[in-house]
Amino acid sequence: MSQSRRLAAILAADVAGYSRLMGADEEGTLERLKALRRDLLDPQIAEHHGRIVNTTGDGMLVEFASVVDAVRCAVAVQQAMPEQNANVAADNRIELRIGINLGDVIVEGDDLYGDGVNIAARIEALADAGGVFVSNTVHDHVRDRLPFVFEDLGEQQVKNIARPVHVWRVRLGTKPATSAPLPRPDKPSIAVLPFANMSGDPEQEYFADGMVEEIITALSRIKWLFVIARNSSFTYKGQAVDVKQVGRELGVRYVLEGSVRQAGGRVRITAQLIDATTGAHLWADRFDGSLEDVFELQDKVASSVAGVIEPALQAAEPPDRPTGRQLT
């Protein structure tokens, strides 16, 4: 049988305390496991475009083409587990441990082999019951793309892996709720939210995110403008947001949001500037260009957006607020 290699996100999961559960109630545990797969695991894996590579009595190995999908799937499963166990006695509840790694794997038929798989299994063995642990490679790829908080657990020595593995725990839930609105700075302030990818092509996520980074950089050059850092604004990626809430949580008056749509070799970028205190639209426009030179297009759009936002904010700000305009 021929072999090949590919990069893949590998999710390993098993049941915490499986031997104890089987010893106490073998038939009941098997029935609950079947129900868990039927009602939760299989549907979530399919929804997040995963492929079950193999299963054991209490565990499974799942391959994802997207590491973002792998982490989203793991978190969705763990967040749904309390409901799954709602009517089960505490001693009989099934709790999962999940580990995720991104790495090069050997493909032989439907099976996967190699350190990419082994590290996922070792990380899963470190995980808490009900937890999701990920490798440093996974963390680096998703930390700015998903609204989750990651706890650094440092390097861990694991069985049969020569080098220590850097592990992170996913804090289940989204960004921490803010108990009170953040105070706004004493100068105009803006947050640039991740642009929505309207193309249905995952590759366009990188273009859209790069576009936002360029806009943030261009706006940051306006000395009188307070611009929220990328790491803070990207916690809203993939979420339907209320700009008023964003303004309160980040302590900004203005929010820039937009979308990217590709057709053939061309791309259309739309952007709109919103006053987060009222929800009113202050400016909106669209930009069309060719993908032949992505960096040139991103630079051009970022400069154009910054060029129109600067006077738009100057006009929107109260006369006594310090900006770059000359007051007479």
Side-chain angles (χ1 to χ4, degrees):
M1 185 177 295
S2 62
Q3 295 181 349
S4 61
R5 287 183 174 271
R6 63 173 174 246
L7 187 68
I10 304 299
L11 182 154
D14 78 350
V15 177
Y18 178 69
S19 297
R20 177 187 61 79
L21 291 170
M22 289 292 287
D25 182 7
E26 190 174 78
E27 292 183 358
T29 298
L30 289 176
E31 285 303 314
R32 286 190 293 276
L33 272 174
K34 290 179 183 178
L36 178 63
R37 280 205 56 177
R38 182 185 66 246
D39 299 337
L40 179 60
L41 296 180
D42 289 1
Q44 284 294 340
I45 291 167
E47 181 178 336
H48 291 91
H49 316 293
R51 178 183 75 88
I52 298 176
V53 178
N54 58 55
T55 61
T56 60
D58 69 321
M60 62 170 50
L61 197 69
V62 187
E63 177 190 16
F64 294 83
S66 162
V67 66
V68 170
D69 282 343
V71 177
R72 281 177 173 158
C73 180
V75 171
V77 166
Q78 295 291 39
Q79 289 178 331
M81 286 301 294
E83 181 179 351
Q84 192 79 15
N85 284 322
N87 298 317
V88 180
D91 289 343
N92 295 329
R93 290 174 183 171
I94 291 175
E95 294 184 297
L96 299 177
R97 302 180 300 184
I98 298 178
I100 305 173
N101 182 44
L102 175 66
D104 188 73
V105 298
I106 299 171
V107 184
E108 186 173 279
D110 291 332
D111 289 330
L112 302 179
Y113 304 93
D115 271 358
V117 176
N118 295 338
I119 291 173
R122 299 308 182 200
I123 292 174
E124 172 262 300
L126 295 173
D128 305 323
V132 178
F133 282 21
V134 303
S135 67
N136 197 55
T137 310
V138 171
H139 173 259
D140 285 346
H141 278 75
V142 306
R143 62 182 178 182
D144 295 328
R145 300 178 180 278
L146 294 174
F148 307 133
V149 175
F150 295 83
E151 179 186 353
D152 189 352
L153 301 180
E155 292 189 339
Q156 305 287 327
Q157 192 68 53
V158 296
K159 183 179 178 181
N160 294 333
I161 303 295
R163 295 183 303 276
V165 178
H166 196 141
V167 178
W168 297 74
R169 175 191 283 114
V170 183
R171 292 260 184 215
L172 300 185
T174 57
K175 58 188 180 307
T178 305
S179 58
L182 287 177
R184 293 195 183 99
D186 59 357
K187 61 181 181 177
S189 52
I190 187 170
V192 185
L193 297 182
F195 280 20
N197 173 21
M198 308 296 290
S199 303
D201 178 6
E203 290 297 320
Q204 292 307 306
E205 291 285 340
Y206 297 99
F207 175 82
D209 291 349
M211 184 74 265
V212 172
E213 287 191 48
E214 292 296 333
I215 292 173
I216 290 174
T217 300
L219 291 176
S220 297
R221 297 192 184 106
I222 302 174
K223 300 300 183 183
W224 52 265
L225 182 61
F226 180 87
V227 184
I228 290 294
R230 177 188 189 275
N231 285 351
S232 295
S233 60
F234 266 63
T235 59
Y236 296 91
K237 186 175 176 64
Q239 300 184 54
V241 298
D242 177 346
V243 292
K244 292 183 180 180
Q245 181 180 350
V246 171
R248 291 191 298 269
E249 292 178 347
L250 296 181
V252 296
R253 179 173 178 184
Y254 304 104
V255 171
L256 181 72
E257 61 180 13
S259 64
V260 174
R261 180 182 289 107
Q262 180 189 2
R266 296 189 62 78
V267 64
R268 169 166 292 177
I269 301 157
T270 63
Q272 52 186 354
L273 179 66
I274 303 170
D275 186 331
T277 61
T278 64
H281 285 68
L282 303 178
W283 165 85
D285 205 347
R286 72 185 187 197
F287 306 87
D288 295 330
S290 171
L291 287 173
E292 292 180 359
D293 191 330
V294 170
F295 298 124
E296 181 181 353
L297 176 59
Q298 289 178 336
D299 289 343
K300 179 181 177 181
V301 173
S303 298
S304 299
V305 170
V308 295
I309 283 182
E310 184 170 6
L313 293 185
Q314 288 176 331
E317 283 293 300
D320 58 346
R321 177 66 70 92
T323 67
R325 61 187 170 191
Q326 297 297 316
L327 300 178
T328 57

